[in-house]
Amino acid sequence: MHKQVMLIFKKNVKAALKSYSSENPNYPILKKLVTAFEKAKKLKPAYLEKDNLGIAIFLSSQNPELDIFPARYTFEHERINFSALRNKNTKKPSDDMREYVKTYIEDFNHLGNTTIFKKLIYNAPETEGTLTSNTTEQIVKEPYATTFVRGDDTWMYAMSTGNQGIILYAFKMTVSGENLMDISVDSNHK
């Protein structure tokens, strides 16, 4: 069942990729997230047992400019939540959100100096997702989305489908290691 869902999901992601221009300044990040997810392996459940901060890209008609948003991964009482921070009215990132994303991608070690970092750390969303797995990834089922999770020792990648459309997430799990833009699309990245 999950394998069929994943195949349909991958097909939908490929179709969504074609709907965005490669001239968009955030397209290389989108492409790297998709490629890194595809090359990543199944994470051990222990990797999913700590909160983390990251970034997210919505692939939907609500995000034609390919804006990137702050994201949070929350694990509490054996329940999980993936969420992205967006302006409720405009669905666009604020200046503080853009600063967070730019710092996350370009200068990760200074992420703690951003305003959004502090908001994400202190405002944990409710966790409702349950964890299952298949041979290639962990799967989180939340009331509003199904999220496929993979990664390596440095990064956790997630692709989510639900009532918000398709959302791609990246969470750096270690302070050291590769930056997001250092991950080569053509390398043998694990």
Side-chain angles (χ1 to χ4, degrees), residues 71-136:
R72 179 172 171 137
Y73 171 81
T74 308
F75 180 87
E76 186 174 14
H77 306 298
E78 303 300 317
R79 299 284 185 183
I80 294 170
N81 175 275
F82 283 92
S83 55
L85 185 62
R86 293 194 297 174
N87 181 300
K88 290 178 184 176
N89 298 321
T90 67
K91 304 291 186 207
K92 306 297 288 171
S94 66
D95 289 342
D96 286 344
M97 291 178 198
R98 283 187 187 94
E99 174 199 21
Y100 168 94
V101 168
K102 182 175 175 29
T103 304
Y104 197 96
I105 293 169
E106 296 176 5
D107 194 11
F108 184 82
N109 290 331
H110 291 96
L111 192 64
N113 297 333
T114 65
T115 303
I116 294 298
F117 175 86
K118 294 170 183 92
K119 287 181 182 176
L120 288 172
I121 289 291
Y122 294 115
N123 296 307
E126 185 176 337
T127 54
E128 300 179 86
T130 55
L131 182 67
T132 60
S133 67
N134 64 24
T135 56
T136 57

Short mmCIF file of all heavy atoms in Angstrom, two decimals, residues 71-136:
data_model
loop_
_atom_site.label_atom_id
_atom_site.label_comp_id
_atom_site.label_asym_id
_atom_site.label_seq_id
_atom_site.Cartn_x
_atom_site.Cartn_y
_atom_site.Cartn_z
N ALA A 71 10.78 25.64 9.12
CA ALA A 71 10.03 24.43 9.44
C ALA A 71 10.46 23.90 10.80
O ALA A 71 11.56 24.19 11.28
CB ALA A 71 10.24 23.37 8.37
N ARG A 72 9.57 23.12 11.38
CA ARG A 72 9.87 22.51 12.67
C ARG A 72 9.43 21.05 12.63
O ARG A 72 8.37 20.72 12.12
CB ARG A 72 9.14 23.23 13.79
CG ARG A 72 9.45 22.57 15.13
CD ARG A 72 8.93 23.33 16.30
NE ARG A 72 9.10 22.48 17.47
CZ ARG A 72 9.53 22.88 18.62
NH1 ARG A 72 9.85 24.13 18.80
NH2 ARG A 72 9.65 22.04 19.63
N TYR A 73 10.28 20.21 13.20
CA TYR A 73 9.96 18.80 13.41
C TYR A 73 9.84 18.62 14.92
O TYR A 73 10.74 19.01 15.67
CB TYR A 73 11.08 17.90 12.86
CG TYR A 73 10.90 16.46 13.24
CD1 TYR A 73 10.02 15.65 12.53
CD2 TYR A 73 11.55 15.92 14.34
CE1 TYR A 73 9.83 14.33 12.90
CE2 TYR A 73 11.37 14.61 14.71
CZ TYR A 73 10.50 13.82 13.98
OH TYR A 73 10.30 12.52 14.35
N THR A 74 8.72 18.05 15.37
CA THR A 74 8.49 17.88 16.80
C THR A 74 8.19 16.42 17.11
O THR A 74 7.38 15.79 16.43
CB THR A 74 7.30 18.76 17.26
OG1 THR A 74 7.52 20.10 16.83
CG2 THR A 74 7.16 18.75 18.78
N PHE A 75 8.84 15.90 18.14
CA PHE A 75 8.61 14.55 18.63
C PHE A 75 8.27 14.66 20.12
O PHE A 75 9.06 15.21 20.90
CB PHE A 75 9.86 13.68 18.45
CG PHE A 75 9.68 12.27 18.95
CD1 PHE A 75 9.16 11.30 18.11
CD2 PHE A 75 10.03 11.91 20.24
CE1 PHE A 75 8.99 10.00 18.55
CE2 PHE A 75 9.86 10.62 20.70
CZ PHE A 75 9.34 9.65 19.85
N GLU A 76 7.09 14.18 20.49
CA GLU A 76 6.69 14.25 21.90
C GLU A 76 5.71 13.12 22.20
O GLU A 76 4.72 12.94 21.49
CB GLU A 76 6.04 15.60 22.19
CG GLU A 76 5.72 15.82 23.64
CD GLU A 76 5.20 17.21 23.93
OE1 GLU A 76 4.85 17.93 22.99
OE2 GLU A 76 5.15 17.57 25.11
N HIS A 77 6.00 12.37 23.25
CA HIS A 77 5.13 11.27 23.70
C HIS A 77 4.82 10.30 22.56
O HIS A 77 3.67 9.93 22.34
CB HIS A 77 3.83 11.81 24.31
CG HIS A 77 4.04 12.80 25.41
ND1 HIS A 77 4.67 12.49 26.59
CD2 HIS A 77 3.71 14.11 25.49
CE1 HIS A 77 4.73 13.55 27.36
NE2 HIS A 77 4.15 14.56 26.72
N GLU A 78 5.87 9.90 21.82
CA GLU A 78 5.75 8.95 20.72
C GLU A 78 4.88 9.47 19.56
O GLU A 78 4.45 8.69 18.71
CB GLU A 78 5.19 7.60 21.21
CG GLU A 78 6.01 6.95 22.31
CD GLU A 78 7.45 6.63 21.90
OE1 GLU A 78 7.66 6.14 20.77
OE2 GLU A 78 8.36 6.88 22.70
N ARG A 79 4.63 10.76 19.53
CA ARG A 79 3.86 11.39 18.45
C ARG A 79 4.75 12.40 17.73
O ARG A 79 5.69 12.93 18.29
CB ARG A 79 2.62 12.10 18.98
CG ARG A 79 1.64 11.20 19.67
CD ARG A 79 0.88 10.41 18.66
NE ARG A 79 -0.15 9.62 19.33
CZ ARG A 79 -0.93 8.78 18.72
NH1 ARG A 79 -0.82 8.62 17.42
NH2 ARG A 79 -1.82 8.09 19.36
N ILE A 80 4.43 12.65 16.44
CA ILE A 80 5.28 13.47 15.59
C ILE A 80 4.46 14.56 14.90
O ILE A 80 3.29 14.36 14.58
CB ILE A 80 5.96 12.57 14.52
CG1 ILE A 80 6.92 11.60 15.21
CG2 ILE A 80 6.67 13.40 13.46
CD1 ILE A 80 7.46 10.51 14.32
N ASN A 81 5.13 15.69 14.63
CA ASN A 81 4.53 16.77 13.84
C ASN A 81 5.58 17.36 12.91
O ASN A 81 6.68 17.66 13.34
CB ASN A 81 3.97 17.87 14.74
CG ASN A 81 3.45 19.05 13.94
OD1 ASN A 81 4.22 19.94 13.57
ND2 ASN A 81 2.17 19.05 13.66
N PHE A 82 5.21 17.49 11.65
CA PHE A 82 5.99 18.27 10.68
C PHE A 82 5.18 19.53 10.42
O PHE A 82 3.99 19.45 10.11
CB PHE A 82 6.14 17.51 9.34
CG PHE A 82 7.16 16.43 9.37
CD1 PHE A 82 6.81 15.13 9.68
CD2 PHE A 82 8.49 16.70 9.06
CE1 PHE A 82 7.76 14.11 9.69
CE2 PHE A 82 9.45 15.71 9.08
CZ PHE A 82 9.07 14.41 9.39
N SER A 83 5.81 20.69 10.54
CA SER A 83 5.08 21.92 10.25
C SER A 83 6.01 22.97 9.67
O SER A 83 7.20 22.97 9.93
CB SER A 83 4.40 22.45 11.52
OG SER A 83 5.34 22.64 12.55
N ALA A 84 5.41 23.82 8.85
CA ALA A 84 6.14 24.94 8.26
C ALA A 84 5.46 26.23 8.71
O ALA A 84 4.24 26.28 8.88
CB ALA A 84 6.13 24.85 6.74
N LEU A 85 6.26 27.25 8.91
CA LEU A 85 5.76 28.53 9.39
C LEU A 85 5.49 29.44 8.20
O LEU A 85 6.40 29.75 7.44
CB LEU A 85 6.81 29.15 10.32
CG LEU A 85 6.46 30.43 11.03
CD1 LEU A 85 5.26 30.23 11.95
CD2 LEU A 85 7.65 30.92 11.84
N ARG A 86 4.24 29.83 8.03
CA ARG A 86 3.85 30.75 6.96
C ARG A 86 2.94 31.82 7.54
O ARG A 86 2.27 31.59 8.55
CB ARG A 86 3.06 30.05 5.85
CG ARG A 86 3.84 29.06 5.07
CD ARG A 86 3.14 28.66 3.80
NE ARG A 86 1.88 27.98 4.05
CZ ARG A 86 1.02 27.64 3.09
NH1 ARG A 86 1.28 27.91 1.85
NH2 ARG A 86 -0.10 27.02 3.37
N ASN A 87 2.88 32.96 6.87
CA ASN A 87 1.93 34.00 7.24
C ASN A 87 0.53 33.48 6.93
O ASN A 87 0.26 33.09 5.79
CB ASN A 87 2.24 35.29 6.47
CG ASN A 87 1.31 36.41 6.84
OD1 ASN A 87 0.09 36.31 6.67
ND2 ASN A 87 1.88 37.48 7.36
N LYS A 88 -0.36 33.47 7.91
CA LYS A 88 -1.70 32.91 7.73
C LYS A 88 -2.51 33.66 6.67
O LYS A 88 -3.32 33.06 5.97
CB LYS A 88 -2.46 32.92 9.05
CG LYS A 88 -1.92 31.92 10.04
CD LYS A 88 -2.65 31.98 11.34
CE LYS A 88 -2.00 31.03 12.33
NZ LYS A 88 -2.60 31.10 13.64
N ASN A 89 -2.29 34.94 6.53
CA ASN A 89 -3.08 35.74 5.58
C ASN A 89 -2.49 35.73 4.19
O ASN A 89 -3.18 35.49 3.21
CB ASN A 89 -3.21 37.18 6.08
CG ASN A 89 -3.95 37.24 7.40
OD1 ASN A 89 -4.90 36.51 7.62
ND2 ASN A 89 -3.49 38.11 8.29
N THR A 90 -1.20 36.00 4.06
CA THR A 90 -0.58 36.14 2.74
C THR A 90 0.00 34.84 2.21
O THR A 90 0.26 34.74 1.02
CB THR A 90 0.55 37.19 2.77
OG1 THR A 90 1.62 36.68 3.58
CG2 THR A 90 0.06 38.53 3.29
N LYS A 91 0.24 33.86 3.09
CA LYS A 91 0.91 32.60 2.73
C LYS A 91 2.32 32.84 2.20
O LYS A 91 2.91 32.01 1.52
CB LYS A 91 0.11 31.81 1.68
CG LYS A 91 -1.30 31.50 2.08
CD LYS A 91 -1.36 30.52 3.21
CE LYS A 91 -2.81 30.13 3.47
NZ LYS A 91 -3.07 29.73 4.80
N LYS A 92 2.88 34.00 2.51
CA LYS A 92 4.22 34.39 2.07
C LYS A 92 5.14 34.47 3.29
O LYS A 92 4.69 34.70 4.41
CB LYS A 92 4.19 35.76 1.39
CG LYS A 92 3.20 35.89 0.24
CD LYS A 92 3.52 34.99 -0.91
CE LYS A 92 4.72 35.45 -1.64
NZ LYS A 92 5.19 34.49 -2.64
N PRO A 93 6.43 34.33 3.09
CA PRO A 93 7.35 34.49 4.22
C PRO A 93 7.54 35.97 4.57
O PRO A 93 7.59 36.83 3.69
CB PRO A 93 8.65 33.88 3.70
CG PRO A 93 8.57 33.95 2.22
CD PRO A 93 7.12 33.91 1.86
N SER A 94 7.64 36.24 5.85
CA SER A 94 7.94 37.59 6.33
C SER A 94 9.44 37.83 6.18
O SER A 94 10.20 36.91 5.85
CB SER A 94 7.54 37.72 7.80
OG SER A 94 8.37 36.88 8.60
N ASP A 95 9.88 39.04 6.44
CA ASP A 95 11.31 39.34 6.39
C ASP A 95 12.08 38.50 7.40
O ASP A 95 13.18 38.03 7.10
CB ASP A 95 11.56 40.84 6.64
CG ASP A 95 11.11 41.70 5.47
OD1 ASP A 95 10.93 41.16 4.35
OD2 ASP A 95 10.92 42.92 5.67
N ASP A 96 11.51 38.30 8.60
CA ASP A 96 12.16 37.47 9.61
C ASP A 96 12.29 36.02 9.14
O ASP A 96 13.30 35.36 9.40
CB ASP A 96 11.39 37.51 10.93
CG ASP A 96 11.56 38.82 11.68
OD1 ASP A 96 12.49 39.58 11.37
OD2 ASP A 96 10.75 39.07 12.60
N MET A 97 11.27 35.54 8.44
CA MET A 97 11.33 34.16 7.91
C MET A 97 12.38 34.05 6.82
O MET A 97 13.12 33.07 6.76
CB MET A 97 9.96 33.75 7.35
CG MET A 97 8.90 33.57 8.39
SD MET A 97 7.33 33.15 7.58
CE MET A 97 6.18 33.52 8.89
N ARG A 98 12.46 35.06 5.97
CA ARG A 98 13.48 35.05 4.90
C ARG A 98 14.89 35.07 5.49
O ARG A 98 15.79 34.40 4.99
CB ARG A 98 13.27 36.25 3.97
CG ARG A 98 12.14 36.08 3.00
CD ARG A 98 12.09 37.23 1.98
NE ARG A 98 10.92 37.13 1.17
CZ ARG A 98 9.77 37.74 1.41
NH1 ARG A 98 9.65 38.55 2.45
NH2 ARG A 98 8.74 37.58 0.61
N GLU A 99 15.07 35.86 6.56
CA GLU A 99 16.37 35.91 7.22
C GLU A 99 16.74 34.53 7.78
O GLU A 99 17.87 34.06 7.62
CB GLU A 99 16.35 36.94 8.36
CG GLU A 99 17.62 36.95 9.18
CD GLU A 99 17.47 37.60 10.55
OE1 GLU A 99 16.33 37.69 11.06
OE2 GLU A 99 18.50 37.97 11.11
N TYR A 100 15.78 33.87 8.42
CA TYR A 100 16.00 32.53 8.96
C TYR A 100 16.41 31.56 7.84
O TYR A 100 17.40 30.82 7.97
CB TYR A 100 14.72 32.04 9.66
CG TYR A 100 14.73 30.57 10.00
CD1 TYR A 100 15.13 30.13 11.25
CD2 TYR A 100 14.33 29.61 9.06
CE1 TYR A 100 15.15 28.78 11.56
CE2 TYR A 100 14.33 28.26 9.36
CZ TYR A 100 14.75 27.85 10.61
OH TYR A 100 14.77 26.51 10.91
N VAL A 101 15.65 31.54 6.74
CA VAL A 101 15.93 30.63 5.63
C VAL A 101 17.31 30.90 5.04
O VAL A 101 18.09 29.98 4.80
CB VAL A 101 14.82 30.71 4.56
CG1 VAL A 101 15.24 30.00 3.28
CG2 VAL A 101 13.52 30.14 5.10
N LYS A 102 17.62 32.15 4.80
CA LYS A 102 18.93 32.52 4.23
C LYS A 102 20.05 32.06 5.16
O LYS A 102 21.04 31.47 4.71
CB LYS A 102 19.00 34.03 4.02
CG LYS A 102 20.29 34.52 3.39
CD LYS A 102 20.20 36.03 3.13
CE LYS A 102 21.39 36.71 2.62
NZ LYS A 102 22.36 36.08 1.84
N THR A 103 19.88 32.28 6.45
CA THR A 103 20.89 31.86 7.43
C THR A 103 20.98 30.33 7.48
O THR A 103 22.08 29.77 7.52
CB THR A 103 20.57 32.43 8.82
OG1 THR A 103 20.46 33.85 8.72
CG2 THR A 103 21.65 32.09 9.83
N TYR A 104 19.84 29.65 7.44
CA TYR A 104 19.83 28.18 7.48
C TYR A 104 20.61 27.61 6.30
O TYR A 104 21.39 26.67 6.45
CB TYR A 104 18.38 27.68 7.43
CG TYR A 104 18.23 26.24 7.87
CD1 TYR A 104 17.88 25.94 9.18
CD2 TYR A 104 18.46 25.19 7.00
CE1 TYR A 104 17.75 24.63 9.60
CE2 TYR A 104 18.33 23.88 7.41
CZ TYR A 104 17.97 23.60 8.71
OH TYR A 104 17.87 22.30 9.13
N ILE A 105 20.42 28.18 5.12
CA ILE A 105 21.05 27.67 3.91
C ILE A 105 22.52 28.09 3.80
O ILE A 105 23.37 27.29 3.44
CB ILE A 105 20.26 28.13 2.66
CG1 ILE A 105 18.89 27.45 2.66
CG2 ILE A 105 21.03 27.81 1.38
CD1 ILE A 105 17.93 28.01 1.64
N GLU A 106 22.82 29.33 4.15
CA GLU A 106 24.15 29.87 3.88
C GLU A 106 25.10 29.92 5.08
O GLU A 106 26.31 29.89 4.91
CB GLU A 106 24.02 31.28 3.31
CG GLU A 106 23.31 31.32 1.98
CD GLU A 106 23.08 32.73 1.46
OE1 GLU A 106 23.56 33.70 2.10
OE2 GLU A 106 22.43 32.85 0.42
N ASP A 107 24.54 30.03 6.30
CA ASP A 107 25.40 30.25 7.46
C ASP A 107 24.78 29.59 8.70
O ASP A 107 24.46 30.24 9.68
CB ASP A 107 25.56 31.77 7.68
CG ASP A 107 26.67 32.12 8.64
OD1 ASP A 107 27.47 31.22 8.99
OD2 ASP A 107 26.73 33.29 9.05
N PHE A 108 24.59 28.28 8.61
CA PHE A 108 23.85 27.52 9.61
C PHE A 108 24.30 27.79 11.05
O PHE A 108 23.48 27.82 11.96
CB PHE A 108 23.96 26.02 9.30
CG PHE A 108 23.14 25.16 10.22
CD1 PHE A 108 21.79 24.98 9.97
CD2 PHE A 108 23.72 24.54 11.31
CE1 PHE A 108 21.02 24.20 10.81
CE2 PHE A 108 22.96 23.75 12.15
CZ PHE A 108 21.60 23.57 11.90
N ASN A 109 25.58 27.98 11.27
CA ASN A 109 26.10 28.18 12.63
C ASN A 109 25.57 29.43 13.31
O ASN A 109 25.65 29.55 14.52
CB ASN A 109 27.62 28.19 12.62
CG ASN A 109 28.19 26.82 12.32
OD1 ASN A 109 27.58 25.80 12.62
ND2 ASN A 109 29.36 26.79 11.69
N HIS A 110 25.00 30.36 12.54
CA HIS A 110 24.45 31.58 13.12
C HIS A 110 22.93 31.58 13.18
O HIS A 110 22.31 32.62 13.43
CB HIS A 110 24.96 32.80 12.33
CG HIS A 110 26.42 33.02 12.53
ND1 HIS A 110 27.36 32.54 11.64
CD2 HIS A 110 27.11 33.62 13.53
CE1 HIS A 110 28.57 32.85 12.09
NE2 HIS A 110 28.44 33.50 13.23
N LEU A 111 22.33 30.44 13.00
CA LEU A 111 20.87 30.34 12.99
C LEU A 111 20.25 30.80 14.30
O LEU A 111 19.18 31.42 14.31
CB LEU A 111 20.46 28.89 12.71
CG LEU A 111 19.00 28.65 12.38
CD1 LEU A 111 18.63 29.37 11.08
CD2 LEU A 111 18.71 27.17 12.28
N GLY A 112 20.92 30.55 15.40
CA GLY A 112 20.40 30.95 16.71
C GLY A 112 20.25 32.44 16.89
O GLY A 112 19.57 32.89 17.82
N ASN A 113 20.86 33.24 16.03
CA ASN A 113 20.75 34.69 16.12
C ASN A 113 19.50 35.24 15.43
O ASN A 113 19.23 36.43 15.52
CB ASN A 113 21.98 35.36 15.48
CG ASN A 113 23.26 35.00 16.21
OD1 ASN A 113 23.26 34.69 17.39
ND2 ASN A 113 24.36 35.00 15.48
N THR A 114 18.73 34.39 14.76
CA THR A 114 17.56 34.89 14.04
C THR A 114 16.34 34.94 14.96
O THR A 114 16.21 34.15 15.90
CB THR A 114 17.24 34.01 12.82
OG1 THR A 114 16.86 32.71 13.27
CG2 THR A 114 18.42 33.91 11.87
N THR A 115 15.44 35.86 14.67
CA THR A 115 14.22 36.03 15.46
C THR A 115 13.33 34.79 15.36
O THR A 115 12.76 34.34 16.34
CB THR A 115 13.44 37.26 14.96
OG1 THR A 115 14.30 38.39 15.04
CG2 THR A 115 12.19 37.51 15.75
N ILE A 116 13.20 34.24 14.17
CA ILE A 116 12.33 33.08 13.95
C ILE A 116 12.85 31.85 14.69
O ILE A 116 12.06 31.05 15.20
CB ILE A 116 12.16 32.78 12.44
CG1 ILE A 116 11.43 33.93 11.76
CG2 ILE A 116 11.46 31.46 12.20
CD1 ILE A 116 10.01 34.19 12.26
N PHE A 117 14.16 31.69 14.80
CA PHE A 117 14.73 30.56 15.53
C PHE A 117 14.15 30.53 16.95
O PHE A 117 13.70 29.49 17.41
CB PHE A 117 16.26 30.69 15.58
CG PHE A 117 16.93 29.64 16.42
CD1 PHE A 117 17.25 28.41 15.87
CD2 PHE A 117 17.24 29.88 17.75
CE1 PHE A 117 17.88 27.43 16.63
CE2 PHE A 117 17.87 28.92 18.52
CZ PHE A 117 18.19 27.68 17.97
N LYS A 118 14.16 31.65 17.60
CA LYS A 118 13.65 31.71 18.97
C LYS A 118 12.16 31.37 19.04
O LYS A 118 11.71 30.68 19.94
CB LYS A 118 13.94 33.09 19.55
CG LYS A 118 15.44 33.35 19.72
CD LYS A 118 15.72 34.80 20.05
CE LYS A 118 17.20 35.05 20.14
NZ LYS A 118 17.80 35.49 18.92
N LYS A 119 11.38 31.85 18.05
CA LYS A 119 9.95 31.53 18.02
C LYS A 119 9.72 30.05 17.81
O LYS A 119 8.86 29.44 18.45
CB LYS A 119 9.25 32.33 16.92
CG LYS A 119 9.11 33.80 17.24
CD LYS A 119 8.40 34.53 16.11
CE LYS A 119 8.32 36.01 16.44
NZ LYS A 119 7.73 36.78 15.34
N LEU A 120 10.49 29.44 16.91
CA LEU A 120 10.33 28.02 16.64
C LEU A 120 10.73 27.16 17.83
O LEU A 120 10.10 26.14 18.10
CB LEU A 120 11.14 27.61 15.41
CG LEU A 120 10.62 28.09 14.05
CD1 LEU A 120 11.64 27.78 12.96
CD2 LEU A 120 9.28 27.47 13.72
N ILE A 121 11.77 27.57 18.53
CA ILE A 121 12.24 26.81 19.69
C ILE A 121 11.19 26.78 20.80
O ILE A 121 10.95 25.75 21.42
CB ILE A 121 13.57 27.40 20.23
CG1 ILE A 121 14.72 27.11 19.27
CG2 ILE A 121 13.91 26.90 21.63
CD1 ILE A 121 15.11 25.66 19.18
N TYR A 122 10.56 27.91 21.05
CA TYR A 122 9.65 28.03 22.19
C TYR A 122 8.19 27.74 21.88
O TYR A 122 7.38 27.68 22.79
CB TYR A 122 9.78 29.42 22.81
CG TYR A 122 11.15 29.64 23.41
CD1 TYR A 122 12.01 30.59 22.90
CD2 TYR A 122 11.60 28.85 24.47
CE1 TYR A 122 13.28 30.78 23.44
CE2 TYR A 122 12.86 29.03 25.01
CZ TYR A 122 13.69 29.99 24.49
OH TYR A 122 14.94 30.17 25.02
N ASN A 123 7.82 27.54 20.64
CA ASN A 123 6.42 27.30 20.28
C ASN A 123 6.28 25.96 19.57
O ASN A 123 6.25 25.90 18.35
CB ASN A 123 5.89 28.44 19.40
CG ASN A 123 5.88 29.75 20.13
OD1 ASN A 123 5.34 29.86 21.21
ND2 ASN A 123 6.50 30.76 19.54
N ALA A 124 6.15 24.91 20.34
CA ALA A 124 6.02 23.58 19.76
C ALA A 124 4.56 23.31 19.38
O ALA A 124 3.66 23.51 20.18
CB ALA A 124 6.49 22.52 20.75
N PRO A 125 4.33 22.85 18.15
CA PRO A 125 2.96 22.51 17.75
C PRO A 125 2.52 21.21 18.40
O PRO A 125 3.33 20.43 18.89
CB PRO A 125 3.06 22.37 16.23
CG PRO A 125 4.48 22.04 15.98
CD PRO A 125 5.28 22.69 17.07
N GLU A 126 1.23 20.96 18.37
CA GLU A 126 0.68 19.72 18.90
C GLU A 126 1.14 18.55 18.02
O GLU A 126 1.16 18.66 16.79
CB GLU A 126 -0.84 19.79 18.91
CG GLU A 126 -1.49 18.60 19.56
CD GLU A 126 -2.99 18.75 19.64
OE1 GLU A 126 -3.49 19.88 19.60
OE2 GLU A 126 -3.66 17.70 19.72
N THR A 127 1.53 17.46 18.65
CA THR A 127 1.98 16.29 17.90
C THR A 127 0.87 15.26 17.83
O THR A 127 0.36 14.82 18.86
CB THR A 127 3.23 15.68 18.56
OG1 THR A 127 2.93 15.40 19.92
CG2 THR A 127 4.42 16.60 18.47
N GLU A 128 0.49 14.89 16.60
CA GLU A 128 -0.58 13.91 16.41
C GLU A 128 -0.16 12.75 15.51
O GLU A 128 -0.89 11.78 15.37
CB GLU A 128 -1.81 14.58 15.80
CG GLU A 128 -2.39 15.70 16.66
CD GLU A 128 -3.58 16.34 15.97
OE1 GLU A 128 -4.70 15.81 16.13
OE2 GLU A 128 -3.37 17.33 15.25
N GLY A 129 0.99 12.88 14.84
CA GLY A 129 1.41 11.88 13.86
C GLY A 129 1.90 10.59 14.49
O GLY A 129 2.52 10.59 15.55
N THR A 130 1.63 9.50 13.79
CA THR A 130 2.11 8.19 14.23
C THR A 130 3.12 7.68 13.21
O THR A 130 3.04 7.98 12.03
CB THR A 130 0.94 7.18 14.35
OG1 THR A 130 0.25 7.13 13.11
CG2 THR A 130 -0.01 7.60 15.47
N LEU A 131 4.06 6.88 13.70
CA LEU A 131 5.16 6.40 12.88
C LEU A 131 4.97 4.94 12.49
O LEU A 131 4.66 4.10 13.34
CB LEU A 131 6.47 6.55 13.66
CG LEU A 131 7.76 6.15 12.96
CD1 LEU A 131 8.04 7.09 11.79
CD2 LEU A 131 8.91 6.18 13.94
N THR A 132 5.13 4.68 11.20
CA THR A 132 5.22 3.32 10.68
C THR A 132 6.42 3.32 9.74
O THR A 132 7.08 4.34 9.58
CB THR A 132 3.94 2.89 9.92
OG1 THR A 132 3.75 3.77 8.81
CG2 THR A 132 2.73 2.90 10.82
N SER A 133 6.69 2.19 9.13
CA SER A 133 7.82 2.18 8.19
C SER A 133 7.59 1.13 7.11
O SER A 133 6.74 0.26 7.23
CB SER A 133 9.13 1.93 8.91
OG SER A 133 9.17 0.63 9.45
N ASN A 134 8.37 1.28 6.04
CA ASN A 134 8.43 0.26 5.01
C ASN A 134 9.91 -0.01 4.76
O ASN A 134 10.75 0.40 5.57
CB ASN A 134 7.66 0.67 3.75
CG ASN A 134 8.24 1.89 3.06
OD1 ASN A 134 9.42 2.21 3.19
ND2 ASN A 134 7.40 2.58 2.31
N THR A 135 10.26 -0.64 3.69
CA THR A 135 11.65 -1.01 3.47
C THR A 135 12.55 0.16 3.12
O THR A 135 13.76 0.09 3.31
CB THR A 135 11.78 -2.07 2.35
OG1 THR A 135 11.16 -1.57 1.17
CG2 THR A 135 11.12 -3.37 2.76
N THR A 136 11.99 1.26 2.60
CA THR A 136 12.83 2.37 2.13
C THR A 136 12.73 3.65 2.94
O THR A 136 13.57 4.53 2.80
CB THR A 136 12.51 2.71 0.66
OG1 THR A 136 11.12 3.02 0.55
CG2 THR A 136 12.86 1.55 -0.25
#
